Amino acid sequence: DTGVSQNPRHKITKRGQNVTFRCDPISEHNRLYWYRQTLGQGPEFLTYFQNEAQLEKSRLLSDRFSAERPKGSFSTLEIQRTEQGDSAMYLCAGLAGGTNEQFFGPGTRLTVL
Amino acid sequence: GQQLNQSPQSMFIQEGEDVSMNCTSSSIFNTWLWYKQDPGEGPVLLIALYKAGELTSNGRLTAQFGITRKDSFLNISASIPSDVGIYFCAALQYNFNKFYFGSGTKLNVKP
């Protein structure tokens, strides 16, 4: 158990709907990452937070995607006007200061119909 | 962007055999990580490597940080059925925040 939790674990939605995912790392994780993973591929970087500051965002992240980490603890990832191509596993990972050991949550599987 | 070339893509082995997989890149990295992922779950960290030439073990798993800092390998000795899964390498460059991932090695172990 990495201590990183994600909710929901599964989400099925219709195209055009908005969805929001939540990630709860442990308190030591001052750094937090979001990734997207499709079948047969490794995780693909979406965005990175150091405490509450969003320091980097992938160019692959369209303006329909937004992420927040308001108090430097939990984080949310919102996808607006979902498209079928957004169907994937969304993973969150936390790192403690002074280490590059990145610990993943169990992921949220999104299916857009 | 940076690319990690992971091979082999998949392996079918007999229980008890040793396994080796590797990741290479044209870029230099200062951290290499190896993960195992089961279906429907997040990747689980197996080994972290921080220095060129470093050799680190975790039970039956051994990983090395290549001398050139452009590659890493993972060995699994005396494989067992629960080793089945997808193994990913990941790497981080100095002064950068983004981790890059290989495309995975799918391991199948026949009892």
Side-chain angles (χ1 to χ4, degrees), chain A residues 9-21:
Chain A
R9 292 294 311 274
H10 304 274
K11 179 72 178 177
I12 300 174
T13 191
K14 291 184 180 176
R15 192 176 53 181
Q17 297 294 305
N18 299 344
V19 294
T20 299
F21 309 141

Side-chain angles (χ1 to χ4, degrees), chain A residues 2 9 31 33 35 37 40-43 45 48 55-56 89 91 95 99-107 109, chain B residues 1 30-31 33 35 37 40-45 48 50 86 88 90 92 96-104:
Chain A
T2 63
R9 292 294 311 274
R31 290 175 284 164
Y33 289 75
Y35 293 88
Q37 186 179 27
Q41 299 297 319
F45 171 81
Y48 159 69
L55 297 186
E56 194 162 345
M89 173 82 95
L91 294 161
L95 292 84
T99 174
N100 286 333
E101 294 179 9
Q102 182 175 215
F103 294 96
F104 282 87
R109 166 74 64 189
Chain B
N30 73 317
T31 297
L33 305 173
Y35 289 89
Q37 187 174 28
E41 299 294 330
V44 174
L45 182 63
Y50 293 101
I86 303 179
F88 290 100
L92 179 70
F96 286 86
N97 298 317
K98 190 158 57 169
F99 284 86
Y100 296 91
F101 281 78
S103 55

Side-chain angles (χ1 to χ4, degrees), chain A residues 3-111:
Chain A
V4 180
S5 61
Q6 289 187 246
N7 288 288
R9 292 294 311 274
H10 304 274
K11 179 72 178 177
I12 300 174
T13 191
K14 291 184 180 176
R15 192 176 53 181
Q17 297 294 305
N18 299 344
V19 294
T20 299
F21 309 141
R22 179 175 167 127
C23 172
D24 285 90
I26 63 174
S27 59
E28 290 82 1
H29 290 163
N30 61 331
R31 290 175 284 164
L32 186 146
Y33 289 75
W34 283 99
Y35 293 88
R36 177 170 60 193
Q37 186 179 27
T38 53
L39 204 60
Q41 299 297 319
E44 184 179 30
F45 171 81
L46 292 179
T47 190
Y48 159 69
F49 289 87
Q50 178 139 351
N51 300 310
E52 67 276 8
Q54 188 174 19
L55 297 186
E56 194 162 345
K57 198 172 164 180
S58 169
R59 279 173 287 176
L60 300 171
L61 216 60
S62 76
D63 56 7
R64 296 185 298 106
F65 286 72
S66 62
E68 292 183 343
R69 196 182 185 199
K71 297 179 182 177
S73 55
F74 73 92
S75 177
T76 57
L77 177 70
E78 182 184 14
I79 309 175
Q80 295 183 327
R81 305 181 303 282
T82 51
E83 301 172 356
Q84 286 183 324
D86 296 332
S87 295
M89 173 82 95
Y90 289 84
L91 294 161
C92 164
L95 292 84
T99 174
N100 286 333
E101 294 179 9
Q102 182 175 215
F103 294 96
F104 282 87
T108 295
R109 166 74 64 189
L110 173 67
T111 303

